[in-house]
């Protein structure tokens, strides 16, 4: 997976007023924590962070105050519910070779068997354990020819080398639901019309 370099500054101002000032300057307040160290409060460039977060579980190389370099992955991202801009980010400190628990998006390919059935994503993201520097961006599952009642379990999904499930093997990830039958009320109405005509 790609590694994105972002320059960050430590911050000493806290509270809503300070956070608003940071956002007005097109920056995002954040916290870096992990490895049993004290949390480090950061200010991050808004545009760079927004671009980086387009990749799920992106690996971020933080250049902090031009003095230290740390690797981190996003753990929690708060966005404005109306405008969508970034309000705050929690970053988890990681090291090369370290295993971390993350959720990776589940993508599908192929067509269901004919019949208008519906595919339900029971899990939109699959919990896995992976090396921090080798987190897959997504897993792809073939649903080609699946019929109503069929399901895909976590253990049925082929994972990249070095990635293991962090969820029960029998957890349902995808299932195929039968197409809805025609409304019986409509048939009853037609029968009533025919009786009226007779």
């Amino acid at each position: 997976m790609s590694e994105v370099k972002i320059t960050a500054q430590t911050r000493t101002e806290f509270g809503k007023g300070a956070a608003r000032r940071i956002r007005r300057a097109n920056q995002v307040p954040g916290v870096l924590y992990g490895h049993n160290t004290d949390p480090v409060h950061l200010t991050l460039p808004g545009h760079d962070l927004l671009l980086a977060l387009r990749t799920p579980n992106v690996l971020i190389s933080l250049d902090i105050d031009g003095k230290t370099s740390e690797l981190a992955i996003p753990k929690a991202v708060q966005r404005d519910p109306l405008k969508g801009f970034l309000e705050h980010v929690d970053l988890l400190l990681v090291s090369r070779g370290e295993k971390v628990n993350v959720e990776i998006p589940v993508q599908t390919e192929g067509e269901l068997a004919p019949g208008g059935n519906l595919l339900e994503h029971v899990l939109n993201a699959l919990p896995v354990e992976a090396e921090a520097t080798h987190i897959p961006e997504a897993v792809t599952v073939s649903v080609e020819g699946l019929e109503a009642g069929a399901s895909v379990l976590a253990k049925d999904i082929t994972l990249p080398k070095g990635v293991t499930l962090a969820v029960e093997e029998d957890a349902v990830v995808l299932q195929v639901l039968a197409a809805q039958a025609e409304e019986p009320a409509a048939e009853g109405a037609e029968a009533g019309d025919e009786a009226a005509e007779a």
Side-chain angles (χ1 to χ4, degrees):
M1 66 180 291
S2 58
E3 191 174 307
V4 179
K5 189 168 185 176
I6 290 182
T7 302
Q9 281 79 43
T10 51
R11 62 186 168 97
T12 52
E13 284 190 305
F14 307 103
K16 289 185 176 179
R20 275 197 290 270
R21 281 194 295 277
I22 289 169
R23 291 187 203 108
R24 273 201 298 270
N26 195 26
Q27 295 184 312
V28 180
V31 177
L32 175 67
Y33 63 93
H35 291 180
N36 296 316
T37 59
D38 291 333
V40 179
H41 296 269
L42 301 171
T43 300
L44 302 121
H47 182 68
D48 293 351
L49 186 60
L50 193 63
L51 291 178
L53 293 176
R54 288 182 177 173
T55 302
N57 301 311
V58 63
L59 185 66
I60 299 173
S61 175
L62 290 169
D63 178 5
I64 303 173
D65 295 334
K67 298 174 185 174
T68 57
S69 181
E70 301 284 6
L71 285 178
I73 56 173
K75 281 309 276 184
V77 178
Q78 294 175 23
R79 295 177 186 268
D80 180 274
L82 296 176
K83 298 179 182 175
F85 62 78
L86 297 173
E87 290 192 324
H88 190 274
V89 63
D90 285 0
L91 299 169
L92 178 65
L93 194 60
V94 297
S95 55
R96 295 186 192 281
E98 178 186 0
K99 294 270 191 175
V100 292
N101 284 333
V102 293
E103 293 189 349
I104 54 176
V106 176
Q107 300 173 346
T108 59
E109 63 181 9
E111 299 289 329
L112 298 177
N117 297 323
L118 302 173
L119 181 66
E120 180 187 17
H121 285 253
V122 180
L123 293 179
N124 286 315
L126 186 67
V128 298
E129 184 182 69
E131 202 174 304
T133 52
H134 292 89
I135 300 171
E137 290 186 15
V139 288
T140 302
V141 181
S142 173
V143 296
E144 187 65 41
L146 292 185
E147 299 183 347
S151 57
V152 176
L153 306 181
K155 65 183 179 185
D156 300 330
I157 297 175
T158 303
L159 297 173
K161 186 179 178 182
V163 179
T164 56
L165 288 174
V167 68
E168 291 291 328
E169 288 188 346
D170 292 330
V172 176
V173 180
L174 303 166
Q175 62 185 8
V176 183
L177 305 177
Q180 297 292 322
E182 288 295 318
E183 290 290 325
E187 294 174 10
E190 286 171 13
D193 291 344
E194 287 169 10
E197 286 172 12

